[in-house]
Each structure stands twice: as structure tokens, then as C-alpha cells.
Amino acid sequence: MSKYKISDLEKLSGVKSHTIRIWEQRYKVLTPLRTETNIRYYNDAQLRKLLNVVSLMKSGVKISAISKLTDAEINTRIRALANVGGVGVKEETLINQMVSAGLSYDEASFEKAFSNSILSFGLLNAYQKVFYPMLIKIGLLWSTTELNPAQEHFVSNLIKQKIFAAIDALTPPSDKTENWILFLPEGEQHDLGLLIANYGLRAKGKKVIYLGANVPLENLYLIAKQVEPTHYLTFSVRSNAHNSINKYLASMNKEFKNPPIHICCSNNTADNLELSSNQKIIPSFQEFLNLISA
């Protein structure tokens, strides 16, 4: 059983700690547990309930009304929201369901929310609307001291399994098409965004050579000489990594003058990158979809 501080609940739910305490005192929505030294904490069941409460409130239900519902009634309403919720509500509900399932290692519940997301939005849009926001919530893209890294690995690996299966189901592209090399620079380990880009390109009929994470420059040079790519695509996820990325991109520019090199990164990283003429920033997942659909 995981233990969460109220600050963890705030990060995962988006509800301020002060508000959570008011809900505890006035509406008895949560009842914190106590350690032997009388320190407050919350467990997986309470996190799950809080996320469900937030989803119901997003749909327009008042906290006073929610407080009168049993846990079973709350769960019934959440299942309905996940199926027919309005604009934004369904996404938020699915995000919260996946966060809750992932942090408690509940693979069956995670599978249900994942499948619902795919059926509702398709894989690419589900990544943009549900999976990516969910991963941000549990701290995959930013390190955190409050959460167990095993929870991050559990969730990301479940999603990777699904994406690999979706890629295997695609028809191989023809020889006469664009040829993309996908890689992460040395030091970059989080390859989920790169993997979903792999699927998106293949779904559009592009050829992809997927190298994965932490690729040394020497390996990239050798492969590029053999396959003559038309595009490179990389991601920069680590915070404050622009110095190492700049060195990597500068070295690439000495070897690769013509094929465009596309870099997906945050606005903060993009502002600190020194780019050559053939190196282009992709500022959002939607921009990536626009690029490969052109």
C-alpha cells in the first residue's frame, strides 16, 4: 500500500491542500490515516476516491451532493462519465482512472481505462488527450521525491506494450516513401513520446528506423550512412538539459547538412537551443500530427 502526503494529493488531483482539508472537515469526503508518530497520510483508496470526486465535480456535481454518495454510487457515476462524459469531462475522468490504477498497480482497471480511451479517441488522439496528461500527473516527465519510481515504470511499460502491439498490426510501408530515423540523444531515457511518434509515422505510411533511447552519436552516424534518411526526429524531455542537447545537435550538424532534424521539446528547452537551418522545433504533439499529415 502506498502512502501519500496531502501535497501528493494536491499534485495528482489539482485540488489545493487547503481545499482538501475543508472537504475532510466539512463533508467527511476523506479521513486521513496516522502513522505511529501521528503524521497524517493517505492510501490508494483515498487517492482513488479524491480523483473520482474531482471528476464528478468537473461534470457539474457539487461537493455537498457528492459527500452524500456511497463509494459504490460514486463508482457507478464515474463509469458513466468515462463512457458518455461531455467535452473535457470524459478525458479528465479517464486520466484520473488511469492515474489511480497505475499508482495502485491495478492492471485490470488500467486496461479498462486504456481501452476506453482508444475506443473513444483513437491511439494518437488518446495519447494527446489522455495518456500524456496522465503521465505528467504521475511524474514521468519530471522527477519527484514523493512517488515511487516503480509506479512510473509500471504505467509507462503498460502503455508501451499497447503501442508495440498497435505498431505490429500496421501494414509495412512501401519502399518509395519518406525514411525517418527516430532516436533519443545520450542521457535521454523516456522514449514513450518517441514510440507514439513511431506509430504515427508508420500509420501514415512512412518508413521508420526506430533506435530508441540513449543513442551515441557514433551509432547514429553509422546508421545514417547506410540508410540515407529523409528526416530525423528526436525528443528532449529532461529539464535543464539544453547544454548537452546543444552539443549533440552541433555535432549532428557537422555530419548531416541536408535532412531536416525535428526536435520535440518544451518551450523552456526550445528557448535555450542553438539551432542550425535544418534543425526545427516541434512545439506540440498537434504540430507533429500536422507535419506528418502534410
Side-chain angles (χ1 to χ4, degrees):
M1 180 186 70
S2 299
K3 294 182 178 181
Y4 305 97
K5 296 183 294 186
I6 196 168
S7 59
D8 298 330
L9 296 191
E10 178 176 328
K11 291 177 182 178
L12 293 165
S13 68
V15 179
K16 295 295 185 182
S17 298
H18 174 69
T19 302
I20 294 174
R21 289 194 181 96
I22 291 176
W23 290 356
E24 290 173 4
Q25 297 166 5
R26 186 176 301 172
Y27 300 107
K28 311 301 181 185
V29 172
L30 299 178
T31 303
L33 304 171
R34 299 277 179 174
T35 67
E36 293 180 357
T37 55
N38 205 35
I39 297 175
R40 296 157 51 103
Y41 73 92
Y42 305 82
N43 60 18
D44 291 323
Q46 291 170 315
L47 169 62
R48 186 180 300 111
K49 183 174 183 179
L50 177 61
L51 293 176
N52 286 342
V53 167
V54 171
S55 295
L56 289 177
M57 291 188 69
K58 293 274 187 177
S59 72
V61 185
K62 294 183 178 180
I63 186 64
S64 57
I66 297 172
S67 67
K68 298 175 183 177
L69 300 174
T70 65
D71 289 347
E73 290 170 335
I74 289 175
N75 291 335
T76 297
R77 294 199 180 197
I78 287 298
R79 285 193 293 271
L81 277 181
N83 289 323
V84 297
V87 177
V89 174
K90 182 169 188 172
E91 293 94 316
E92 182 72 21
T93 303
L94 289 167
I95 289 168
N96 286 342
Q97 286 183 333
M98 293 182 74
V99 167
S100 175
L103 295 181
S104 57
Y105 306 104
D106 185 348
E107 187 169 350
S109 296
F110 190 92
E111 169 71 28
K112 289 179 182 178
F114 185 95
S115 298
N116 195 342
S117 301
I118 299 298
L119 290 172
S120 300
F121 306 113
L123 181 55
L124 291 177
N125 284 328
Y127 175 80
Q128 185 175 14
K129 294 174 179 290
V130 180
F131 306 152
Y132 184 78
M134 180 269 301
L135 290 170
I136 291 177
K137 271 197 174 185
I138 67 168
L140 180 62
L141 304 184
W142 289 276
S143 60
T144 174
T145 57
E146 289 87 351
L147 301 179
N148 184 349
Q151 295 166 319
E152 300 174 0
H153 295 311
F154 174 76
V155 170
S156 60
N157 284 330
L158 283 178
I159 296 177
K160 287 179 184 180
Q161 291 172 21
K162 304 297 184 182
I163 299 174
F164 279 125
I167 290 172
D168 286 342
L170 294 173
T171 302
S174 66
D175 290 334
K176 296 180 181 180
T177 184
E178 296 174 0
N179 193 7
W180 290 66
I181 288 185
L182 272 58
F183 69 98
L184 295 186
E186 290 177 282
E188 290 283 352
Q189 300 292 343
H190 292 308
D191 61 346
L192 191 55
L194 194 72
L195 190 59
I196 196 71
N198 183 12
Y199 171 83
L201 287 164
R202 291 175 185 270
K204 294 294 183 180
K206 318 291 187 185
K207 291 179 65 176
V208 177
I209 297 174
Y210 184 82
L211 302 182
N214 199 32
V215 178
L217 272 169
E218 294 78 7
N219 293 3
L220 195 62
Y221 296 157
L222 290 174
I223 295 169
K225 290 178 181 178
Q226 294 175 341
V227 301
E228 297 182 354
T230 59
H231 298 78
Y232 296 92
L233 177 67
T234 189
F235 281 63
S236 177
V237 174
R238 291 179 301 153
S239 59
N240 300 319
H242 50 269
N243 288 333
S244 60
I245 297 298
N246 274 327
K247 291 179 182 177
Y248 198 100
L249 293 175
S251 297
M252 282 189 70
N253 190 48
K254 293 178 182 178
E255 294 287 332
F256 311 133
K257 296 294 185 182
N258 295 317
I261 301 168
H262 304 285
I263 305 111
C264 298
C265 61
S266 67
N267 290 332
N268 180 59
T269 298
D271 290 341
N272 289 282
L273 292 184
E274 300 167 3
L275 304 177
S276 62
S277 59
N278 67 325
Q279 296 172 347
K280 310 293 183 183
I281 295 294
I282 300 180
S284 68
F285 189 71
Q286 185 58 54
E287 288 296 320
F288 168 72
L289 294 179
N290 295 342
L291 173 67
I292 66 176
S293 299

